Amino acid sequence: MAPLHGQKTIHHFTHPNHILLEINDDNEYLCDGCKTLGSSKRFRCHGCDFDLHEYCGICPMTLSSFMHPQHQLNLANRIPQATRQNARICDVCGDSIEGLFYRCKLCEFDVHPVASASAARTGRGAPLDAAAIFLCLVYGL
């Protein structure tokens, strides 16, 4: 599908062979970046049925955050479950991490990209913050 006039497009390292188009609808989808549910605005490859949360599509490779002020967080991509040995849990919402996530290797602090964005918008982000848990659980963030 060709972009409409003014429609935002991105290239993303998780889907390098195609351009992703910005879509804004209320259909629920599974983000192919962080592997959590989403609805509303996203980036999509229609031909491959590939979707990214808006934030997963534009999130920076490194992040400085009040949630973990001691060190910078680095964007990582979790390998498929069959080939790994340890569980990884989001330190903001408590859900399992699959796919994209921010990580501090020194402290083993991990957070979903969308949970980090939600915490930044609310100004809250201490581990297990109620607002972030609500967003992660109810909206799949």
Side-chain angles (χ1 to χ4, degrees), residues 30-46:
L30 179 67
C31 177
D32 291 297
C34 69
K35 313 297 187 208
T36 64
L37 291 177
S39 61
S40 190
K41 196 177 284 189
R42 67 184 181 267
F43 289 99
R44 177 166 180 74
C45 177
H46 288 283

Side-chain angles (χ1 to χ4, degrees), residues 73-84:
L73 303 173
N74 295 303
L75 189 64
N77 197 4
R78 186 132 166 103
I79 59 175
Q81 190 171 5
T83 59
R84 62 177 191 248

Side-chain angles (χ1 to χ4, degrees), residues 39-111:
S39 61
S40 190
K41 196 177 284 189
R42 67 184 181 267
F43 289 99
R44 177 166 180 74
C45 177
H46 288 283
C48 299
D49 193 27
F50 183 91
D51 296 292
L52 289 177
H53 290 117
E54 178 184 29
Y55 188 71
C56 288
I58 61 171
C59 64
M61 295 301 286
T62 59
L63 180 69
S64 296
S65 175
F66 69 93
M67 293 181 299
H68 188 72
Q70 305 90 323
H71 307 108
Q72 193 169 44
L73 303 173
N74 295 303
L75 189 64
N77 197 4
R78 186 132 166 103
I79 59 175
Q81 190 171 5
T83 59
R84 62 177 191 248
Q85 298 174 2
N86 300 359
R88 192 162 305 286
I89 303 297
C90 177
D91 289 309
V92 172
C93 72
D95 283 349
S96 176
I97 289 178
E98 306 292 334
L100 292 177
F101 68 105
Y102 282 108
R103 173 151 183 76
C104 174
K105 258 187 169 175
L106 295 171
C107 300
E108 296 189 11
F109 179 86
D110 303 316
V111 61

Side-chain angles (χ1 to χ4, degrees), residues 121-141:
R121 282 192 305 269
T122 63
R124 299 177 182 160
L128 302 179
D129 174 77
I133 291 170
F134 176 79
L135 289 170
C136 284
L137 294 177
V138 173
Y139 295 106
L141 300 178

